[in-house]
Amino acid sequence: MTVKEVTEILEDLAPLPYAEGFDNVGLLVGDSTSEVRGILVTLDTMENVIDEAIEKKCNLIVSFHPIIFGGLKKITGKSYVERVVIKAIKNDIAIYSMHTALDNVPNGVNAKICDVLGIKNTKALIPQKGSIKKLTTYVPLKDADAVREAIFNAGAGNIGNYSNCSFNVNGLGSYKAGENAKPTLGEIGKTHYEEETQLNVTFSKAHQSKIMKALFATHPYEEVAYEISTLENNDQNLGMGMIGTLHSPMGELDFLKQVKQTMSAGGIRHSKLLGREIRRVAVLGGSGAFAIDAAKAAGADILITADIKYHEFYKAEDKIVIADIGHYESEQFTKNLLVDYLTKKIPNFAIRLSESKTNPIKYL
């Protein structure tokens, strides 16, 4: 398999358009046409991970965090980022990062945290905005069924548990072909009127490229009239963080102790305990202070996340318990998620779970 073929499988799980705008995801180092000999899955791509890939004969590293985040103005080996890039290039090792693309999907990072902690009936904590698009196009009546079916097959028309959703209005279209045109219907220089269907469908932004290819491939006109707009509607299946319920309510201290043990946390920094049971739990892997207000609004009893600053703990306001379990600790099972996924998709292929230690934080 090539690097591109593997990354296409990964993008079925976490399409790159779902990543946040500030992020740097996708193939960061390497040639997409290279043959893959082995895959090493890691949370971070550090120098020791490159060494591990060399030792295990893996020439593709699938990393959650991107080793290249800001722009690189030079590559001289003076920083850990530059050294990783140089060593990867010297050894023909490709590096692919998923980061917030995997954060935002319903079976990604936060779903894994919920699974490990026994949180059920989950949904997105902060639904992603701008992820639902609408396509409007105009098709001759006799071709409408074929075009509609083609864009359905490409991913259009899915709303919740329903598929093949569209709205259709029949009307009369007109056009006059110029002298260099090659009209499918009508004559050059004469205004032509055609019975057409106005076809409207919604779709997830991750499918836009495939849908447009399907539209152009099946539409009979030389020039296809279409409009794409972004809807204000939120996709409740996509977004940062998750919220759900415990199978059985637990006391605050008992739940925190269970989280500490399950997540192998060196310690948990938390806001004031409120003396009530934990039923609804919000989680957000990595830096999650921005989710505090959303967790409160959703009625969560506790928010499990990381990287909370001193003054951000005040935002609990006796309405929620905020628990900082550590950045690495909150995302550590992402590696297992990816290895399990790739193993199912590419059986009998060398897929390795990295054993390198990449957590930069130590506890006394």
Side-chain angles (χ1 to χ4, degrees):
M1 299 186 73
T2 64
V3 170
K4 181 175 176 58
E5 288 171 330
V6 174
T7 59
E8 284 175 347
I9 291 171
L10 290 168
E11 287 165 29
D12 284 339
L13 172 66
L16 298 185
Y18 292 156
E20 297 297 310
F22 63 81
D23 208 359
N24 189 33
V25 293
L27 186 63
L28 306 184
V29 176
D31 182 354
S32 63
T33 65
S34 297
E35 285 290 326
V36 177
R37 298 187 300 274
I39 303 170
L40 184 67
V41 179
T42 182
L43 197 66
D44 307 279
T45 305
M46 309 306 293
E47 288 181 81
N48 59 335
V49 174
I50 300 292
D51 292 335
E52 183 182 7
I54 295 169
E55 179 186 347
K56 294 180 176 177
K57 296 180 172 55
C58 295
N59 65 331
L60 172 60
I61 293 175
V62 175
S63 177
F64 177 63
H65 291 127
I67 183 60
I68 303 173
F69 198 77
L72 286 177
K73 294 185 177 181
K74 55 186 176 181
I75 305 178
T76 62
K78 290 186 177 179
S79 72
Y80 74 94
V81 173
E82 294 172 25
R83 289 193 294 273
V84 166
V85 172
I86 290 171
K87 184 173 284 191
I89 291 173
K90 280 184 175 180
N91 290 278
D92 293 322
I93 294 173
I95 302 173
Y96 182 88
S97 169
M98 305 181 75
H99 207 209
T100 57
L102 191 60
D103 277 317
N104 276 318
V105 293
N107 48 353
V109 176
N110 296 293
K112 185 63 177 179
I113 297 172
C114 288
D115 182 53
V116 170
L117 294 179
I119 302 167
K120 310 296 182 184
N121 305 315
T122 58
K123 64 178 182 178
L125 179 61
I126 307 175
Q128 189 177 70
K129 296 183 182 298
S131 62
I132 301 177
K133 303 279 189 176
K134 179 183 176 182
L135 167 67
T136 298
T137 190
Y138 307 85
V139 191
L141 286 178
K142 65 182 180 63
D143 300 292
D145 288 342
V147 172
R148 193 183 299 110
E149 190 65 25
I151 61 176
F152 283 161
N153 290 336
N158 296 316
I159 303 176
N161 294 320
Y162 295 84
S163 60
N164 292 15
C165 302
S166 68
F167 186 75
N168 305 268
V169 182
N170 292 340
L172 187 66
S174 69
Y175 56 83
K176 182 166 70 173
E179 61 180 45
N180 294 320
K182 297 178 181 178
T184 305
L185 300 167
E187 300 177 29
I188 291 175
K190 294 183 179 181
T191 299
H192 177 77
Y193 295 90
E194 183 69 28
E195 292 285 338
E196 295 179 338
T197 294
Q198 183 193 74
L199 174 59
N200 301 271
V201 292
T202 58
F203 60 92
S204 172
K205 65 182 180 181
H207 298 134
Q208 181 166 327
S209 177
K210 290 181 180 179
I211 290 168
M212 298 312 296
K213 286 179 182 177
L215 174 64
F216 295 143
T218 55
H219 200 293
Y221 287 168
E222 181 183 17
E223 297 288 348
V224 180
Y226 69 93
E227 306 161 23
I228 294 178
S229 55
T230 301
L231 303 185
E232 291 296 321
N233 310 49
N234 290 330
D235 187 335
Q236 297 299 321
N237 292 317
L238 292 174
M240 282 286 184
M242 278 191 164
I243 184 167
T245 57
L246 295 178
H247 183 267
S248 299
M250 295 181 66
E252 293 165 321
L253 192 56
D254 288 338
F255 181 65
L256 284 171
K257 287 179 179 178
Q258 178 177 298
V259 170
K260 184 176 186 292
Q261 180 179 9
T262 303
M263 306 300 285
S264 301
I268 295 181
R269 300 161 62 237
H270 62 83
S271 61
K272 174 185 173 183
L273 300 184
L274 305 176
R276 64 191 187 196
E277 290 187 318
I278 300 294
R279 292 180 175 84
R280 286 179 63 75
V281 181
V283 305
L284 199 153
S287 303
F290 65 91
I292 294 172
D293 289 339
K296 287 192 294 185
D301 299 307
I302 190 169
L303 170 64
I304 306 295
T305 187
D307 300 344
I308 302 296
K309 296 179 181 179
Y310 176 86
H311 289 95
E312 290 166 341
F313 279 105
Y314 284 127
K315 293 182 179 180
E317 296 181 314
D318 291 342
K319 295 178 181 178
I320 192 173
V321 176
I322 301 170
D324 182 337
I325 68 171
H327 196 120
Y328 176 91
E329 288 78 6
S330 70
E331 296 174 334
Q332 62 184 298
F333 294 109
T334 304
K335 295 190 297 182
N336 306 79
L337 164 70
L338 291 173
V339 168
D340 291 344
Y341 173 78
L342 285 171
T343 300
K344 289 177 183 177
K345 292 291 183 178
I346 321 174
N348 304 318
F349 199 83
I351 300 166
R352 305 292 189 92
L353 180 68
S354 175
E355 300 174 59
S356 299
K357 307 298 181 185
T358 62
N359 187 357
I361 298 172
K362 309 301 177 186
Y363 297 90
L364 185 62

